[in-house]
Amino acid sequence: MKIRVISGIALGIMLAVTLFGGGYLTAGVLLIVSLLAYHELASALSFSVKNGDAGRLEVVGMAAIILHYLLMVITGGDMKYFVMLIMLLFVANAAIIVFDYPKISSDKVIASVFSFVYAPMMLSFIYLLRIMPNGKFFAWIPFIAWVCDTCAYFAGNLLGKHKLCPKLSPKKTVEGAVGGVLGSALVGVLFGYIYANYGNVETDIVRSVVSFVIITVVASAISQIGDLIASAIKRDHDIKDYGKVIPGHGGIMDRFDSVIFITPVIYFMATYFFK
């Protein structure tokens, strides 16, 4: 527990520096985190370098991640390049399986493209949030997933009676899930108040609060799906943790699974509510 707390504090400090720093710092840190997350998924889904010929898929995926971040920084997040990278990766991986068949199975190609979208691409939306006007406020919203997780834990322990997904996560309850959403909504009120008063924008405080509450409620509900899909992958491949890069917490995917899953949703909702 001591190691978990210490690493959690260190993680919080690094996160604050990354998000407040913005620009190349945010992009650089996210690139490193994305590469680590992709490697963890590659290991879990058996297409990493250690898996022999299938490791070529991981190498191509890593190259695609680096190119994705370079294009994102240069173009400011033009969505057509997001689509282009997905298609290029798919075509490149298809070529690998064609010329190496039957050494590499088709499910590995599917896994590599899935992993690219799931971790690096979805995570990179934090950078897009950060470069928005007043992005120093919006970049924090994805971490509402951690608030939701904490509130769900306590609500579940106190009130939990009905299982949410008993086969996948026996300890999660419907009451806990509702508690997580309500706790996130309260933080959304705080977000909205701070933004209206310190965001240097002309906005009505009620509109600001309502907008942030809607975003945090939707995001917290979806974050619980993100947590469960990450757990499903681990159960399917009989692994306890994705990695050991964060002492006491596991890997990047263990700690950021729900954060990663909701970031694109938050970005598109933020661009809608805060034009």
Side-chain angles (χ1 to χ4, degrees):
M1 178 60 72
K2 182 179 179 180
I3 294 176
R4 184 180 177 86
V5 172
I6 293 173
S7 62
I9 294 173
L11 184 62
I13 294 172
M14 292 174 62
L15 180 63
V17 171
T18 299
L19 296 184
F20 282 123
Y24 293 135
L25 175 62
T26 300
V29 172
L30 287 173
L31 171 59
I32 295 171
V33 173
S34 294
L35 291 170
L36 290 171
Y38 188 76
H39 174 68
E40 290 176 358
L41 286 169
S43 297
L45 300 175
S46 304
F47 67 91
S48 68
V49 174
K50 66 181 180 182
N51 295 115
D53 291 324
R56 298 176 191 178
L57 299 174
E58 182 184 15
V59 173
V60 172
M62 292 288 190
I65 294 168
I66 295 172
L67 180 57
H68 168 61
Y69 273 87
L70 285 173
L71 288 173
M72 186 171 60
V73 171
I74 293 171
T75 66
D78 190 330
M79 288 296 155
K80 69 173 176 282
Y81 292 104
F82 280 56
V83 177
M84 182 189 77
L85 257 297
I86 295 174
M87 297 305 299
L88 282 177
L89 179 61
F90 179 74
V91 171
N93 285 349
I96 290 174
I97 189 174
V98 166
F99 291 107
D100 283 349
Y101 186 83
K103 295 179 181 178
I104 304 175
S105 58
S106 58
D107 63 302
K108 298 296 187 295
V109 173
I110 296 170
S112 66
V113 177
F114 166 82
S115 299
F116 177 76
V117 174
Y118 182 17
M121 186 158 283
M122 296 182 81
L123 186 64
S124 67
F125 276 84
I126 291 179
Y127 174 77
L128 299 186
L129 284 167
R130 184 61 182 84
I131 64 174
M132 289 175 62
N134 280 314
K136 60 185 178 182
F137 295 97
F138 297 125
W140 286 96
I141 306 178
F143 300 93
I144 197 71
W146 291 350
V147 174
C148 177
D149 187 51
T150 302
C151 292
Y153 173 79
F154 286 110
N157 282 342
L158 291 173
L159 306 171
K161 292 182 179 179
H162 302 87
K163 299 297 183 181
L164 184 64
C165 294
K167 292 185 178 180
L168 186 57
S169 186
K171 294 183 179 180
K172 290 187 182 296
T173 63
V174 174
E175 292 79 6
V178 173
V181 172
L182 292 177
S184 300
L186 292 177
V187 176
V189 173
L190 180 61
F191 267 131
Y193 177 81
I194 293 174
Y195 181 77
N197 286 278
Y198 303 102
N200 295 321
V201 291
E202 294 182 8
T203 183
D204 178 74
I205 189 169
V206 174
R207 181 180 182 280
S208 178
V209 168
V210 170
S211 297
F212 273 97
V213 168
I214 293 174
I215 293 172
T216 52
V217 165
V218 173
S220 61
I222 296 175
S223 75
Q224 299 184 62
I225 299 176
D227 180 52
L228 290 169
I229 186 63
S231 297
I233 293 172
K234 288 194 290 187
R235 284 183 178 274
D236 279 346
H237 295 83
D238 196 26
I239 57 176
K240 183 179 183 297
D241 293 318
Y242 281 101
K244 300 179 180 178
V245 69
I246 308 175
H249 293 268
I252 296 296
M253 290 302 301
D254 294 298
R255 182 69 277 179
F256 289 88
D257 49 6
S258 52
V259 173
I260 291 170
F261 202 74
I262 62 174
T263 302
V265 174
I266 292 171
Y267 171 76
F268 290 117
M269 292 185 72
T271 55
Y272 175 78
F273 284 112
F274 303 97
K275 298 178 177 62

